[in-house]
Amino acid sequence: MKRIFDTQLIGPFAAMVIVALIVALTTERFLNPGNLSNLSLQVSIVALIAIGSTIVIFAAGIDLSSGSMVALLTMILAQMLKFVGIPLVLALPLILLMGGLLGLFIGLITAYGRIPSFITTLAALIAFRGLALTFNNGSPIFSLDPALEPIFYGKLFGVPMPFFYLVFFYVLAAFSMNFTKLGREIYAVGGNPAAAVLTGINVRKVQTTTFVIAGFMTAVGAILMSARLNSGSPNYGQTLELQAIAAAVVGGASLAGGRGNILATLMGAMTIVIVQNGLNLNAAPSSVQNIVLGLIILLAVGIDMWRAEISGLMGRMFGRTSSQQSSNVKKEA
């Protein structure tokens, strides 16, 4: 039982199932096909951005800029399509490139400027939101391109497109983190930067790379956000960075770095979205939703900090139970 408790997937999976059962018992509408379909679409944006946030956390960093970056990139995409006249097929790769470049900018300042990632991404959060407000006098831009919506609402073999995005990027991320040199280096940098340097790892380069990945994944989320609403707005992405971080932490990623499973982040994202969906179905105001999200993050971080104590307690409990059972068997014999 201790070994099961220590695995990186069983905890997030159990949390997701328990939350889903609670929500299903508190509202009849949760299991409606329409609500489940909306839930699957809603989780896609958070889960994809959470990939980048999780990889940054693996390297002992933090990314607070993703929500504002989404707003900025949706406004740039809207400007390209609506006013500049750039074709969609060209605009989408440009947005992905811009996301990577913004991540590179943050990564260089963090790694080579030796400024804590909390500070650099907090500054970026404010700056990106401000830049988004400079477009179109701070007003949203609607009706961008009819070909944009199928990117989010389209289906392949009857399955919504976001499902395929999730499968592709999570399989790619899981493979990269577990079976590539970069993945091993990210874990090493997050676990012990000093030891990583002694083994020949370029720590600053690895840290910068994690922010490039985070910027790219944020750009993917921004494209889906624009496709979902066929618009761009400087108000998009608010609290999205907190949801992405919460997904990583609920999924078991350690904020100290060096530990976690990228697949568990998907379960964490689903847990967060299920909680929000349940609150919406029960007509809870946004203020209550933010309070609950904060409590979830606090609880998840607490569990991470107390992981060793909880694991030891579970081991003693089940070890004692096994010993008692063995002694009972001997007595009966």
Side-chain angles (χ1 to χ4, degrees):
M1 289 300 298
K2 182 180 178 181
R3 189 178 304 154
I4 293 176
F5 182 79
D6 283 340
T7 60
Q8 296 176 328
L9 292 177
I10 190 66
F13 178 76
M16 180 185 68
V17 172
I18 291 171
V19 168
L21 287 174
I22 293 173
V23 174
L25 291 174
T26 56
T27 174
E28 297 178 354
R29 293 174 293 169
F30 177 71
L31 295 177
N32 288 348
N35 182 64
L36 293 178
S37 176
N38 178 65
L39 192 67
S40 65
L41 294 175
Q42 186 179 357
V43 75
S44 60
I45 296 176
V46 176
L48 287 170
I49 293 176
I51 292 176
S53 299
T54 303
I55 291 175
V56 170
I57 289 173
F58 285 164
I62 195 76
D63 184 9
L64 299 174
S65 68
S66 54
S68 294
M69 192 186 295
V70 164
L72 175 60
L73 292 176
T74 62
M75 288 301 289
I76 294 175
L77 177 60
Q79 198 82 10
M80 287 180 178
L81 298 176
K82 191 78 172 183
F83 301 126
V84 181
I86 296 178
L88 181 64
V89 68
L90 179 60
L92 296 185
L94 286 175
I95 291 297
L96 295 175
L97 177 61
M98 288 180 187
L101 290 176
L102 289 174
L104 175 63
F105 176 71
I106 295 173
L108 289 175
I109 294 177
T110 302
Y112 292 91
R114 293 178 294 176
I115 299 175
S117 58
F118 177 85
I119 300 299
T120 55
T121 58
L122 180 62
L125 178 151
I126 300 170
F128 290 165
R129 186 74 63 180
L131 286 172
L133 288 167
T134 63
F135 292 96
N136 200 39
N137 295 319
S139 300
I141 304 173
F142 300 101
S143 303
L144 304 183
D145 192 319
L148 189 60
E149 290 186 357
I151 295 176
F152 187 82
Y153 292 105
K155 293 184 178 181
L156 182 63
F157 306 116
V159 180
M161 291 301 296
F163 172 81
F164 295 101
Y165 305 147
L166 286 174
V167 170
F168 173 77
F169 282 110
Y170 268 92
V171 169
L172 179 62
F175 177 84
S176 299
M177 292 305 302
N178 290 285
F179 300 106
T180 68
K181 178 183 177 182
L182 176 61
R184 292 189 293 270
E185 288 181 344
I186 289 173
Y187 278 121
V189 169
N192 191 329
V197 171
L198 294 177
T199 60
I201 295 175
N202 189 332
V203 172
R204 292 178 179 177
K205 181 179 178 181
V206 171
Q207 291 173 336
T208 303
T209 302
T210 63
F211 282 101
V212 173
I213 295 171
F216 179 86
M217 293 309 305
T218 300
V220 173
I223 290 173
L224 291 183
M225 181 73 78
S226 290
R228 181 182 183 184
L229 302 169
N230 199 14
S231 62
S233 172
N235 298 317
Y236 289 165
Q238 294 186 11
T239 74
L240 195 54
E241 65 281 341
L242 298 181
Q243 295 177 47
I245 293 171
V249 175
V250 172
S254 173
L255 289 177
R259 186 175 70 242
N261 188 310
I262 197 70
L263 294 179
T265 295
L266 176 59
M267 301 177 192
M270 294 180 68
T271 302
I272 297 298
V273 173
I274 289 172
V275 169
Q276 292 179 322
N277 182 254
L279 293 172
N280 284 328
L281 293 176
N282 285 287
S286 58
S287 57
V288 173
Q289 296 185 31
N290 290 335
I291 292 172
V292 171
L293 179 60
L295 291 175
I296 290 174
I297 295 175
L298 182 63
L299 178 62
V301 173
I303 292 175
D304 176 51
M305 296 295 102
W306 309 322
R307 188 188 302 271
E309 290 81 356
I310 295 174
S311 179
L313 177 61
M314 295 291 290
R316 289 193 297 271
M317 288 175 57
F318 289 105
R320 188 181 302 115
T321 302
S322 300
S323 300
Q324 291 175 351
Q325 290 177 347
S326 299
S327 61
N328 290 337
V329 170
K330 291 180 180 178
K331 289 179 181 179
E332 292 176 0

